[in-house]
Amino acid sequence: MIRRVLQKEMKMEEDLDYINVLKRATKLLFGNINLLIFLFLCSLPLFCFLIYFELSLQTTVSLASQYLVGQLHNWDYYYVRQDALSENLIPLLIQTFLLYLFPYCLLDLLTTSTIVSASWIVHTSGEEPPLRFGQLVRRTVELCRNRIEGCLITSLNVLLLSTPVFFGFFFVATNYFYIISLIGVGNYSYHYIDLDEGGGDYYRSYNSSFDIPVRMLFEAVMAVFHCAIFLVLLAKFSKWSSGWNMGLIVSVLEEGEDGQGIYGPDALTLSSYYGRGHEKRGLQVMLVFLIFTIAMRMPCFCFKCTESSKGTRVLYTSFYVGLICVGNMIKWVACVVFYEDCRTRVLEKKGDLEIGSKSKALAA
């Protein structure tokens, strides 16, 4: 009996391994043609909007980098030289923020709830042959219809919790550029007027510059320091986002004793309960997709897509947005698989504890 319990626990631990979770999610998605087609059609609106959003984001990042580089190289005169650049950058920042806040978040929420519902139905369905396309659509709509409001509340809670992390990323980047700009890239001078003991005034001029090796060492130390903070924030964000994503899944799939959905802080608390002891695996799963998303965008920013022809820019943006949407589908299917394994493990452990308690009571 003990050996059987140990074998079961070892099997469940193996199922929760992040590589196994990714394999099972990929197999579930690409092993069911009806699920794949349905999720592809559901992701089309998000795909189309993301192309426009990414083009706007590329322009914003390009102008922001020009502005920051201008600060570094023209510290004494950037107020004069970069007025025009600043006037263009601020409206773009506001536009990109508003695009992310309303259309993107809403489309992403609808797409996420659909992916979670459909993959859950297929994952837990023991029917042979597999569900037909019409059946899958009908059951998904029935499941999502009464859960959108709860998912929206949970999503707003997640947005509220994640905002400080995004501000942390922004602060690290801004602080690094500010410190580097203070040391300048060459000699600088400053002047002031002082009063002598007789009441007269005289003019002093100081020329000051960092020694090049000292400056290079200082910049390297600052880069390593801020990079370390950035990586810590990235790891924390990935770990927390695993619980937040499971909270969204709880809002879609579960309901309370009163028959109403579980959402908001209750959903996040329940997801934390399910994922307790498996934070490392959740972190690993989220890191895989976060790094994948960043890696897809980096070539465009590094090779300055904004300076290429419009057709080439749109074509490459469409290509990597398509890959991001595919990664998003696999991510949420993986989250569903991970959620189901964690939930099953918790419920079985709870059942074993109840059986053990009853056995002790009978023995007494």
Side-chain angles (χ1 to χ4, degrees):
M1 179 67 180
I2 296 175
R3 182 182 296 177
R4 191 180 305 166
V5 172
L6 290 175
Q7 287 177 349
K8 183 188 289 186
E9 289 185 357
M10 290 176 63
K11 177 65 169 59
M12 295 185 71
E13 288 294 327
E14 182 183 349
D15 288 343
L16 283 169
D17 181 73
Y18 82 100
I19 295 178
N20 195 29
V21 168
L22 295 177
K23 287 181 180 178
R24 291 164 60 196
T26 306
K27 182 179 179 181
L28 177 65
L29 181 60
F30 294 99
N32 190 303
I33 188 64
N34 289 332
L35 176 64
L36 183 62
I37 292 174
F38 180 52
L39 297 188
F40 171 77
L41 294 174
C42 292
S43 299
L44 275 179
L46 181 63
F47 168 75
C48 296
F49 174 77
L50 268 179
I51 294 175
Y52 175 74
F53 177 77
E54 288 292 325
L55 291 173
S56 175
L57 182 63
Q58 291 166 16
T59 305
T60 304
V61 171
S62 177
L63 282 179
S65 64
Q66 291 177 35
Y67 182 77
L68 292 173
V69 168
Q71 284 188 333
L72 295 180
H73 289 84
N74 304 289
W75 178 248
D76 293 330
Y77 305 104
Y78 79 92
Y79 290 108
V80 177
R81 294 186 180 185
Q82 294 193 290
D83 281 345
L85 188 60
S86 176
E87 289 176 2
N88 293 328
L89 177 60
I90 293 175
L92 269 175
L93 284 171
I94 295 173
Q95 173 186 310
T96 305
F97 174 74
L98 291 177
L99 284 174
Y100 173 81
L101 189 62
F102 176 66
Y104 174 73
C105 286
L106 185 60
L107 275 174
D108 185 55
L109 179 64
L110 293 173
T111 305
T112 296
S113 59
T114 304
I115 293 173
V116 168
S117 301
S119 56
W120 168 262
I121 290 169
V122 173
H123 180 57
T124 56
S125 175
E127 298 180 18
E128 291 291 344
L131 288 171
R132 293 193 298 271
F133 186 81
Q135 291 176 316
L136 179 61
V137 173
R138 184 177 66 255
R139 290 176 62 174
T140 302
V141 171
E142 289 175 357
L143 185 59
C144 289
R145 186 169 52 192
N146 300 322
R147 295 286 189 267
I148 291 298
E149 184 179 351
C151 289
L152 180 60
I153 294 173
T154 305
S155 179
L156 290 174
N157 278 267
V158 170
L159 184 63
L160 197 63
L161 291 171
S162 61
T163 299
V165 184
F166 290 127
F167 275 118
F169 285 124
F170 177 76
F171 174 76
V172 170
T174 306
N175 189 62
Y176 172 72
F177 278 107
Y178 178 70
I179 291 175
I180 295 300
S181 66
L182 284 180
I183 70 172
V185 292
N187 296 338
Y188 63 90
S189 62
Y190 58 92
H191 314 277
Y192 66 95
I193 297 175
D194 196 2
L195 296 177
D196 59 14
E197 294 179 356
D201 58 311
Y202 56 89
Y203 185 83
R204 285 181 181 175
S205 176
Y206 288 88
N207 290 321
S208 175
S209 65
F210 279 101
D211 218 59
I212 291 178
V214 175
R215 187 173 68 220
M216 291 178 64
L217 178 62
F218 180 77
E219 290 179 358
V221 170
M222 285 296 100
V224 170
F225 175 72
H226 285 86
C227 184
I229 297 177
F230 183 85
L231 291 176
V232 169
L233 282 174
L234 188 66
K236 288 294 184 182
F237 178 74
S238 300
K239 178 181 176 181
W240 294 333
S241 64
S242 173
W244 297 337
N245 290 343
M246 196 181 292
L248 285 171
I249 294 173
V250 168
S251 297
V252 176
L253 301 178
E254 295 206 23
E255 59 182 27
E257 297 179 355
D258 56 357
Q260 300 297 318
I262 302 174
Y263 50 83
D266 293 337
L268 297 175
T269 302
L270 186 58
S271 72
S272 177
Y273 173 66
Y274 286 156
R276 191 174 301 158
H278 309 295
E279 292 85 357
K280 183 179 178 181
R281 297 181 180 94
L283 164 66
Q284 291 169 334
V285 172
M286 290 301 103
L287 268 179
V288 168
F289 293 104
L290 185 60
I291 292 172
F292 172 78
T293 303
I294 294 173
M296 290 297 100
R297 289 185 169 97
M298 285 308 294
C300 193
F301 293 131
C302 291
F303 296 108
K304 299 181 179 180
C305 281
T306 52
E307 297 179 4
S308 59
S309 63
K310 186 176 181 180
T312 304
R313 182 185 172 196
V314 172
L315 183 63
Y316 179 72
T317 302
S318 303
F319 172 72
Y320 82 72
V321 164
L323 291 178
I324 288 174
C325 287
V326 173
N328 186 60
M329 285 192 294
I330 300 175
K331 180 188 79 172
W332 282 109
V333 175
C335 288
V336 169
V337 172
F338 185 68
Y339 155 79
E340 170 61 13
D341 288 342
C342 290
R343 178 175 178 271
T344 301
R345 190 174 189 277
V346 168
L347 293 179
E348 288 189 357
K349 184 180 290 187
K350 184 178 179 181
D352 291 340
L353 289 175
E354 289 178 353
I355 292 173
S357 299
K358 289 180 181 178
S359 299
K360 289 181 180 179
L362 291 173

